[in-house]
Amino acid sequence: MTTTPERTRSVPSVPPGSPRPARRRRSPIPLRTKVLGLPLLAVVAFLVLVPAGFIVLAAFSSDVPRPGSAGLSFTMDNLRVLVADGVLVAALNSVLIAAGATVLALLIGGALAFAAARTDARGRGFLYLIGLMPLFLPSYVGALAWSILGSPGAGLINVGFRDLGINGPVVDVYTLGGVVVVMAMYYAPYAFLMIHSSMTLMNPDLEDAAGVHGGSTWRTIRSVTLPLSLPAILGSGLLIFVLVFENFPVSQVLATPGGIDTLPTFIYKLMNSSPSRGNEAAVIAIVLVAVVVAITWMQRRYLAKRSFTTVSGKGVKPRTIRLGRWRTPVLLAALAYFVLSIVLPLLALLLSAVRSSPYMRSFGSLFETGAIDITSFADAVTSDGFLGAATNSVTVSVAAAAVGTALAFAVGYVVYRTRSWGRGALEGVSMIPLAIPHVVLGIGLLWTWLVMPVPVYGTLWVLVIGFVAVQMPQGFRGIASAIRATDRDLEDSAVMLGARRPRAVVRITLPLMRVAVLSTFLLLLMLSMRELTVPLFLYTSDTEILSIAIYDQFENGGALREASATALVYCAIMFLLSYLPRRFGAGPGGHSA
């Protein structure tokens, strides 16, 4: 019988009391897996942090970044803009508009969500659609339509009142109140979505217990239902506040004509002054980011101290509250919101598109010979400007959605399926654009690609890069939730049977996540189609897209008919894109996968 050398090898004895030699263990994680996320972290950090870094650099420099110069002459003089005339007023206006619109949007969206999810209101399915539909109309298109409806001089609503013998501007959207109402109408769907989801999933046990102990319906709602919905209410409120606070297009369309400055419009004004005051704009931009970050931190700190768990493993059937005689009034109130947010704006755009004259003193003039001319639609869609802008929009949006989805999948896979170094940093950097207003990120992207020795500025590629950077959080969250919900056993089984990991991901994991990947692609496609603020800083005459074309036509004023016709075609495209996720998101048999 032979003995193997390993079995006969003697073990060296360790003298008593001496420290045992450290055992060298082989790491179970290969080095290539550990470094897998580092190149990805470098790419995402370059997309997000470099533009933000240029903003900080410009705020403390005497020159703005330009080709051949990054602006490294440091100075603190730019901080004087914080005490300049108009800055404090612009900041106060921003806070007032954001706070007012947030409260009103929560009331509209929360009431609609409660009626659709927890009551026996008439037409609950229609109420759900009413809560969602304004989400698919870009807020700046709604603002443009409301400028046609509610301007104090020639607004269609005021023209109608004059026809009834009521003189004077009855409606004026160029005021703080007008801006607040329009903002609230188009951001209420965010509150509706989050609060409706919370109320649908809520376990009814606590509400039943309140009823058993004598609590009335309204006291149960006030003491149990609303407190349990607090995370959704606060979360949607924070999201709406931030979105309104950083909103540039609606403020530019409605607040600026009324002489009301907000921080985003003040930044835009500084950038477009002659000479451009980019360094001071960067200081204001940092203030804008600081406010957004502080509000986000306070909200998370408040919610972290409480528990709101109401969903368990048991089946959930939320209580339905009977409205009695209020069923019809609730439906009428929802219809009023639908008319104000969708029907009236679209009718205003249609009327503006088919009128021969841009000015109208009375609705009776519409019945005069030649007052209506529907050729504006043909003129708009056959013009060189529309065809070029539409082609650019589709090209940029499809490319940005494809690249953004691929990048989001790679980031989500590395963060949740590997043990690579820097996973936490990769997730954190991917979410940073949520805290940076688009007007700020747009300026940072402009300076980044002016300075970089890569001939990208002036091409469609810079718009693609900008859209991917801005929409990184939405893409990552869409993919991450699907990855976390997908079991990895099948992928690991394929690897154990000899398949290489990339092949297993492509042949098994990706098909399992087909619906989530396609939904993320379509979401990013729709967001890219409606984006206005970032391309406003990056486009040139050769790279104009549809949102910019509509904005420019309205700003010029002389092309109101063409602008209205183009906006309606644009809305039709947006409604089509909103339909595609449901069409392709359905699995076999029409059920959602």
Side-chain angles (χ1 to χ4, degrees):
M1 179 178 178
T2 59
T3 305
T4 60
E6 288 76 7
R7 291 183 179 180
T8 57
R9 184 181 300 164
S10 61
V11 178
S13 61
V14 179
S18 61
R20 296 179 64 85
R23 296 182 62 183
R24 298 183 60 185
R25 291 184 177 179
R26 186 179 178 183
S27 172
I29 305 174
L31 181 62
R32 65 175 181 274
T33 301
K34 288 183 176 180
V35 301
L36 182 64
L38 297 183
L40 207 54
L41 177 60
V43 171
V44 177
F46 183 82
L47 286 175
V48 175
L49 297 183
V50 172
F54 271 112
I55 294 290
V56 177
L57 186 66
F60 298 98
S61 175
S62 58
D63 299 314
V64 296
R66 55 173 55 92
S69 171
L72 295 177
S73 52
F74 292 98
T75 179
M76 301 294 283
D77 292 343
N78 300 324
L79 299 182
R80 294 175 183 171
V81 73
L82 295 176
V83 295
D85 292 339
V87 173
L88 185 59
V89 174
L92 184 60
N93 288 336
S94 292
V95 172
L96 288 175
I97 291 173
T102 300
V103 172
L104 189 55
L106 283 176
L107 288 174
I108 296 172
L112 267 174
F114 180 76
R118 304 300 301 274
T119 72
D120 63 344
R122 295 185 190 279
R124 290 172 61 188
F126 185 53
L127 291 184
Y128 185 83
L129 288 178
I130 289 176
L132 285 181
M133 287 190 73
L135 191 64
F136 306 123
L137 186 68
S139 59
Y140 68 90
V141 173
L144 295 171
W146 267 98
S147 71
I148 299 172
L149 282 167
S151 69
L156 297 179
I157 295 178
N158 291 315
V159 170
F161 277 110
R162 279 203 296 271
D163 287 346
L164 295 174
I166 303 173
N167 294 317
V170 179
V171 176
D172 185 359
V173 292
Y174 298 150
T175 60
L176 273 178
V179 178
V180 165
V181 170
V182 173
M183 289 272 201
M185 281 195 296
Y186 292 103
Y187 285 104
Y190 294 89
F192 173 82
L193 272 176
M194 297 178 72
I195 298 174
H196 184 275
S197 175
S198 169
M199 289 189 170
T200 303
L201 294 173
M202 191 178 295
N203 194 317
D205 289 350
L206 293 176
E207 294 172 326
D208 291 340
V212 168
H213 289 85
S216 65
T217 299
W218 294 114
R219 185 171 183 181
T220 301
I221 293 172
R222 190 174 65 250
S223 305
V224 179
T225 308
L226 288 180
L228 289 177
S229 301
L230 198 57
I233 296 171
L234 285 179
S236 57
L238 170 70
L239 177 64
I240 294 169
F241 185 92
V242 171
L243 291 175
V244 175
F245 189 74
E246 70 173 43
N247 185 287
F248 166 74
V250 177
S251 299
Q252 181 70 11
V253 171
L254 297 182
T256 300
I260 302 170
D261 275 330
T262 63
L263 284 180
T265 61
F266 199 86
I267 292 173
Y268 187 72
K269 186 186 293 183
L270 291 175
M271 289 293 293
N272 282 279
S273 62
S274 183
S276 178
R277 299 164 63 185
N279 300 101
E280 294 168 321
V283 174
I284 305 294
I286 291 176
V287 173
L288 202 60
V289 174
V291 172
V292 173
V293 171
I295 294 171
T296 306
W297 178 79
M298 285 191 293
Q299 185 254 4
R300 289 188 176 181
R301 184 177 175 82
Y302 177 78
L303 290 182
K305 297 178 181 178
R306 300 183 173 202
S307 174
F308 300 89
T309 303
T310 61
V311 179
S312 64
K314 298 186 297 181
V316 173
K317 185 179 180 181
R319 298 176 70 200
T320 299
I321 297 172
R322 298 186 181 280
L323 294 177
R325 61 181 179 176
W326 289 98
R327 293 183 69 197
T328 301
V330 167
L331 177 61
L332 293 177
L335 284 174
Y337 169 63
F338 176 64
V339 169
L340 290 175
S341 60
I342 297 292
V343 178
L344 275 184
L346 293 181
L347 285 177
L349 290 173
L350 179 63
L351 187 58
S352 178
V354 300
R355 272 189 331 210
S356 299
S357 170
Y359 304 105
M360 189 175 74
R361 291 173 299 177
S362 167
F363 276 95
S365 63
L366 293 175
F367 299 98
E368 297 174 356
T369 304
I372 301 295
D373 180 7
I374 62 172
T375 58
S376 56
F377 289 99
D379 295 339
V381 299
T382 56
S383 66
D384 292 338
F386 177 85
L387 292 177
T391 304
N392 287 341
S393 282
V394 173
T395 304
V396 169
S397 299
V398 170
V403 174
T405 304
L407 186 60
F409 180 83
V411 171
Y413 188 89
V414 168
V415 170
Y416 293 110
R417 285 289 176 88
T418 73
R419 300 179 67 181
S420 171
W421 289 331
R423 288 177 298 148
L426 185 58
E427 182 176 9
V429 173
S430 299
M431 298 303 293
I432 283 179
L434 273 185
I436 304 179
H438 285 194
V439 67
V440 178
L441 204 52
I443 297 172
L445 286 164
L446 168 68
W447 287 336
T448 299
W449 295 105
L450 279 175
V451 170
M452 289 294 160
V454 181
V456 170
Y457 184 76
T459 68
L460 293 178
W461 282 110
V462 74
L463 296 177
V464 174
I465 293 170
F467 288 172
V468 170
V470 168
Q471 294 156 11
M472 191 66 211
Q474 290 85 352
F476 172 71
R477 279 301 168 208
I479 292 293
S481 58
I483 286 182
R484 298 179 74 177
T486 305
D487 197 340
R488 62 177 299 168
D489 286 351
L490 290 175
E491 179 185 318
D492 289 342
S493 299
V495 174
M496 291 179 64
L497 291 173
R500 298 180 67 85
R501 180 66 67 177
R503 181 180 174 86
V505 171
V506 172
R507 299 296 296 270
I508 295 178
T509 304
L510 266 178
L512 287 175
M513 295 175 56
R514 176 181 61 85
V515 174
V517 171
L518 186 58
S519 297
T520 302
F521 172 82
L522 293 172
L523 170 66
L524 299 185
L525 178 65
M526 194 162 63
L527 290 176
S528 299
M529 285 291 294
R530 62 189 295 169
E531 179 63 44
L532 172 65
T533 307
V534 169
L536 204 58
F537 293 95
L538 300 177
Y539 87 102
T540 63
S541 57
D542 294 329
T543 59
E544 190 177 60
I545 58 177
L546 267 181
S547 57
I548 296 291
I550 296 170
Y551 178 78
D552 280 347
Q553 288 172 341
F554 268 99
E555 283 290 294
N556 291 334
L560 190 60
R561 289 183 65 228
E562 292 78 5
S564 300
T566 308
L568 283 174
V569 176
Y570 179 64
C571 289
I573 296 173
M574 297 302 298
F575 277 111
L576 179 64
L577 290 178
S578 70
Y579 167 76
L580 289 178
R582 286 183 296 168
R583 172 65 180 84
F584 291 100
H591 301 288
S592 280

